[in-house]
Amino acid sequence: MPDPTCNVTPKIIAIANQKGGVGKTTTTINLGAALAENGKRVLIVDLDPQGNASTGLGIDLEAREYTTYDLLLDDVPLTDIIQKTAHENLNIIPATVDLSSADLELMSNEKRSFLLHDALRQHAMEGFDIDVILIDCPPSLNLLTINAMVAAHSVLIPLQSEFFALEGLSQLMLTVREVRQSANTALRIEGVVLTMVDTRNNLSAQVEKDARDNLGDLVFRTRIPRNVRLSEAPSYALPVLNYDSQSKGAQAYRDLARELLEKSTPAAA
């Protein structure tokens, strides 16, 4: 078997923003579905105790026998934890509310910041032939999010196109910088994606201008619109690409996936 410290796939992307309601889970599910539609084998790691990514992909609570809690804190094989979804090329490690206690339990572990890093680099992962891992982070800069950043090659930041959107972004960038200096020197910002964009709204245009003026090429060209189909899809346990394939939301996530693949560079473990 190849050494897990070598330059190998999969590419691991943490989807993070400590603000809630900015579209992290929506982006995780639909970017994952769009990448899978492009033929990429995708694994979503639900690292949010709310478990919304799991619910949004049709994993019922009773089907979540093993979860990210077990991945981090118990010696459960990956073959028992990774679940197939109803969507081709799209797999998930689900989460439940049990994960909410993980922060406290991790504190006593001397490798507490590296548990997800090590779990996703087990030799058993090679058998799943995954191309991309997307980590849906909780809405806080807690130890779970730190684990995601230590495990990841890059961080993708959804930024809501509303007032105060840029507030708090500096703290997130500082956290990325601290992780880069202390635990993951290769970590980089994959990009910032503007979400809930309303082109009829002057505020959305101003937020986009501020973001592009301050962050330049870090901001993806693709913008995710405020779209009713995006809001409805989770209640049917479907990505919007399956719920309404022709909707503006579905097309936006296809565009984001293409843009991500265009700019992708080989991942370093």
Side-chain angles (χ1 to χ4, degrees):
M1 287 186 181
D3 186 331
T5 62
C6 292
N7 289 347
V8 295
T9 54
K11 179 174 182 176
I12 305 174
I13 303 173
I15 299 179
N17 189 325
Q18 74 269 30
K19 286 175 67 69
V22 300
K24 284 189 300 294
T25 300
T26 298
T27 295
T28 303
I29 290 173
N30 291 296
L31 177 59
L35 289 168
E37 193 177 76
N38 271 275
K40 298 297 180 184
R41 293 171 296 276
V42 180
L43 172 65
I44 288 175
V45 178
D46 192 347
L47 206 61
D48 187 342
Q50 297 175 89
N52 289 337
S54 308
T55 303
L57 284 170
I59 309 299
D60 293 333
L61 267 176
E62 54 269 25
R64 303 177 205 178
E65 181 179 0
Y66 298 115
T67 66
T68 41
Y69 178 93
D70 301 290
L71 183 71
L72 293 171
L73 292 162
D74 292 332
D75 218 8
V76 178
L78 275 170
T79 49
D80 292 339
I81 299 178
I82 294 178
Q83 294 193 30
K84 290 184 177 180
T85 71
H87 314 287
E88 188 177 4
N89 293 329
L90 190 58
N91 303 295
I92 190 169
I93 298 177
T96 63
V97 71
D98 290 350
L99 196 59
S100 59
S101 67
D103 238 33
L104 288 174
E105 296 180 54
L106 289 172
M107 288 302 296
S108 61
N109 191 314
E110 61 181 18
K111 294 190 69 179
R112 55 186 171 269
S113 298
F114 288 84
L115 294 175
L116 186 60
H117 172 282
D118 294 348
L120 295 179
R121 287 163 174 80
Q122 295 177 45
H123 286 310
M125 184 61 78
E126 295 164 19
F128 293 94
D129 204 20
I130 300 294
D131 296 308
V132 182
I133 298 176
L134 301 177
I135 307 172
D136 186 24
C137 295
S140 61
L141 295 177
N142 61 10
L143 197 46
L144 290 174
T145 300
I146 297 300
N147 259 271
M149 290 185 183
V150 173
H153 301 110
S154 62
V155 180
L156 190 153
I157 305 169
L159 187 70
Q160 188 179 7
S161 295
E162 293 196 356
F163 198 57
F164 294 138
L166 291 172
E167 280 202 359
L169 194 59
S170 58
Q171 181 59 49
L172 179 60
M173 296 291 200
L174 180 61
T175 302
V176 171
R177 191 177 307 123
E178 289 172 348
V179 170
R180 188 185 294 132
Q181 291 172 348
S182 63
N184 183 359
T185 57
L187 183 66
R188 65 184 183 87
I189 303 293
E190 187 71 41
V192 174
V193 59
L194 295 164
T195 61
M196 305 180 194
V197 173
D198 185 347
T199 55
R200 303 164 300 176
N201 188 326
N202 289 335
L203 181 57
S204 280
Q206 186 59 52
V207 170
E208 178 172 0
K209 181 179 184 304
D210 290 347
R212 295 193 188 279
D213 286 349
N214 284 283
L215 301 169
D217 290 342
L218 277 181
V219 182
F220 283 94
R221 297 187 305 274
T222 302
R223 301 173 299 171
I224 308 301
R226 188 176 288 280
N227 178 250
V228 67
R229 296 306 196 194
L230 278 173
S231 302
E232 291 173 349
S235 65
Y236 292 88
L238 290 170
V240 72
L241 282 76
N242 300 87
Y243 175 65
D244 187 345
S245 181
Q246 302 306 311
S247 66
K248 290 181 179 178
Q251 189 54 54
Y253 277 108
R254 288 190 181 99
D255 291 344
L256 181 62
R258 278 194 292 269
E259 190 174 350
L260 182 71
L261 291 172
E262 284 170 8
K263 68 183 286 191
S264 286
T265 54

